[in-house]
Amino acid sequence: MYLFLEWYEEIRDFLEMGGPVLRVIGVLTFVMWVLIFDRVAFYRFGYPQLMRSVVDTWAGRRERSSWHARQIRDALISRVSLSIEERLPLIKTLVALCPLLGLLGTVTGMIEVFEVMAFSGSGNPRSMAAGVSKATIPTMAGMVAALSGVIAVTMLSRFAHRAMEHLRAELTTKG
C-alpha cells in the first residue's frame, strides 16, 4: 500500500512540474493506448472469426469466375479492410498530436520564464528553473508518447497490410 502511495505522489509531483499541458498529453496518451489495445484485441480475437466467415461465404458460392462474382469478392475484401483499418487513422492523428502538444508545453513554459525574468530580472536562476522545467518536461513527454505510438501504429499497420494480402490470396485460391 505504501508503495502505491509513493508512486501516486511521484506522478502527482511530475504532473505539477510539467503544468497543465502535461495533463493533456497524459490524457491523449491514455486514449491513444486504449485505442491501440482495442485494435490488438480485435486482431487477436475478432479478425480470425471475420476471416473465417468471409472465406466461408466465398467458398459457399457456386459460381466464382464471372464479373458479378468478382464484384462480390471485392466487396467482401473491402468490408474486411474497413474493419481491419478501423481507428488506425485516429491513432495516427493522436500520435501526431503528442509532439505538437509537447511544443505547446515548451511555449507556455518559456512564457513563464520570460514573466519571471521581467519581474525579478535575469539574475535569479532559481526563479527561472520552474519555468524551464515546465518547458522541457511536456516536450519530453510528448516525444516519448509519440515514439511509443509510432512503434505501435507501425506494427498495427503492418499486420493490417499482411492480413489483407492473406485474405486476397485466400479468396483467390478458393476461387
Side-chain angles (χ1 to χ4, degrees), residues 109-166:
M110 292 310 294
I111 288 172
E112 192 171 307
V113 169
F114 294 142
E115 285 176 353
V116 167
M117 286 174 61
F119 181 70
S120 65
S122 62
N124 189 353
R126 277 193 181 198
S127 61
M128 292 188 310
V132 170
S133 74
K134 277 190 180 176
T136 56
I137 289 174
T139 304
M140 177 207 52
M143 295 307 284
V144 167
L147 269 173
S148 68
V150 164
I151 292 168
V153 163
T154 301
M155 291 171 42
L156 292 173
S157 295
R158 281 185 186 165
F159 178 84
H161 179 73
R162 275 189 256 130
M164 289 310 302
E165 292 302 316
H166 176 69

Side-chain angles (χ1 to χ4, degrees), residues 71-119:
Q71 295 303 313
I72 290 173
R73 176 185 170 271
D74 290 345
L76 289 171
I77 290 172
S78 180
R79 284 189 199 124
V80 172
S81 177
L82 286 174
S83 295
I84 286 178
E85 294 177 3
E86 186 179 4
R87 295 191 188 99
L88 284 182
L90 177 60
I91 296 170
K92 289 177 184 178
T93 302
L94 294 176
V95 167
L97 279 176
C98 286
L100 295 176
L101 285 173
L103 288 174
L104 178 64
T106 301
V107 170
T108 57
M110 292 310 294
I111 288 172
E112 192 171 307
V113 169
F114 294 142
E115 285 176 353
V116 167
M117 286 174 61
F119 181 70

